[in-house]
Amino acid sequence: MSTPHINAKPGDFAETLLMPGDPLRAQYIAETFLDDARRVADVRNMYGYTGTYKGKAISIMGSGMGVPSMSIYAKELITDYGVKNIIRVGTCGGVAADIKLRDVIIAMGASTDSGVNRQRLRGYDFAALADFGLMEKAVAAARAASIPVRVGNVFTSDLFYSPDTELMPVLEKMNVLAVDMEAAGLYGVAAEYGAKALTVMTVSDHIIRGEATSADERQTTFNDMIKLTLEATLSIDE
């Protein structure tokens, strides 16, 4: 039975799912990396696909931008479609001084200015953390592929165009690696509904230094990150 935002049928989604923000990225990943990929959801053009990667059933679905959109889709995938492992794959803006363009970042934790996780914890701070098992698998896959990764804290922002001009130096001081807009929301949903979650991102720009990658560089780096993440899913027990 479909939900208000996903029109897939029961059993259409695999237990492990990758979530880029852009639905066209979901389409690209499915068509480029999966075998026998089929579209299973398309409400509001938020595409979802299921296929196989080296024989393992994998689904891909867009999340949209921001914590609210991520939270809607992640919740429904977990509670209505039986998805057990969600890995956000996307881009982020670097903050830490030693972060370089095209670095791959695995978000062990996600600080945030969003209030959604405080609502979940009756007004208290919630430590939004990745599932250690998924994170361990992603790090192992990166090492096997000789792809260097950075593991640490990121900051999930509610605003892309933030008026707080003093925030970035504080984040840098606190050793926050990068900024995104979804990780803390995904981690909160997974904790509330008993799923496992991880965020793997590539650095498309450096916020403090004002550096940015070209379109070709972003695509190449994105492909490397997706390969790494898909390899990590092969060792997930289901």
Side-chain angles (χ1 to χ4, degrees):
M1 182 177 179
S2 63
T3 69
H5 307 95
I6 304 174
N7 59 345
K9 298 175 182 177
D12 273 347
F13 285 104
E15 291 186 354
T16 297
L17 181 143
L18 272 58
M19 281 193 101
D22 185 350
L24 294 180
R25 287 279 189 176
Q27 179 178 356
Y28 172 81
I29 296 169
E31 293 177 350
T32 304
F33 296 98
L34 300 188
D35 294 321
D36 303 317
R38 60 189 179 94
R39 185 181 294 179
V40 297
D42 57 10
V43 173
R44 301 189 180 192
N45 291 325
M46 190 59 74
Y47 301 140
Y49 298 84
T50 294
T52 61
Y53 179 76
K54 296 185 177 180
K56 184 181 182 67
I58 296 290
S59 291
I60 317 286
M61 184 165 182
S63 68
M65 290 189 291
V67 168
S69 186
M70 167 62 82
S71 298
I72 289 170
Y73 290 109
K75 187 273 181 191
E76 292 181 3
L77 287 165
I78 295 166
T79 62
D80 294 85
Y81 289 100
V83 174
K84 296 181 178 180
N85 309 289
I86 297 179
I87 304 176
R88 159 165 153 65
V89 288
T91 58
C92 60
V95 173
D98 59 346
I99 290 294
K100 302 181 295 295
L101 297 182
R102 300 181 295 279
D103 278 355
V104 176
I105 291 179
I106 297 176
M108 178 166 56
S111 303
T112 185
D113 55 9
S114 171
V116 295
N117 287 334
R118 282 194 170 191
Q119 292 184 47
R120 290 188 170 96
L121 209 62
R122 298 180 56 83
Y124 297 101
D125 288 334
F126 172 78
L129 301 176
D131 175 78
F132 179 77
L134 292 183
M135 184 172 65
E136 191 176 36
K137 289 172 173 49
V139 172
R143 286 175 177 163
S146 298
I147 297 175
V149 295
R150 294 292 303 276
V151 180
N153 198 1
V154 302
F155 183 86
T156 298
S157 176
D158 262 349
L159 294 175
F160 187 85
Y161 299 107
S162 175
D164 188 352
T165 59
E166 299 180 1
L167 176 60
M168 293 304 149
V170 175
L171 295 181
E172 182 181 18
K173 179 181 178 181
M174 297 297 290
N175 199 32
V176 171
L177 301 180
V179 173
D180 88 323
M181 296 188 71
E182 290 84 30
L186 172 60
Y187 291 175
V189 169
E192 182 175 2
Y193 295 102
K196 299 176 180 179
L198 180 66
T199 294
V200 183
M201 301 179 289
T202 58
V203 178
S204 61
D205 61 290
H206 198 285
I207 299 172
I208 294 178
R209 294 199 297 266
E211 301 170 349
T213 54
S214 68
D216 288 342
E217 289 172 331
R218 285 194 297 274
Q219 190 61 59
T220 300
T221 307
F222 184 83
N223 286 350
D224 290 342
M225 176 190 63
I226 296 303
K227 291 175 185 177
L228 178 164
T229 306
L230 286 169
E231 286 295 316
T233 68
L234 297 177
S235 59
I236 297 175
D237 296 325
E238 296 178 351

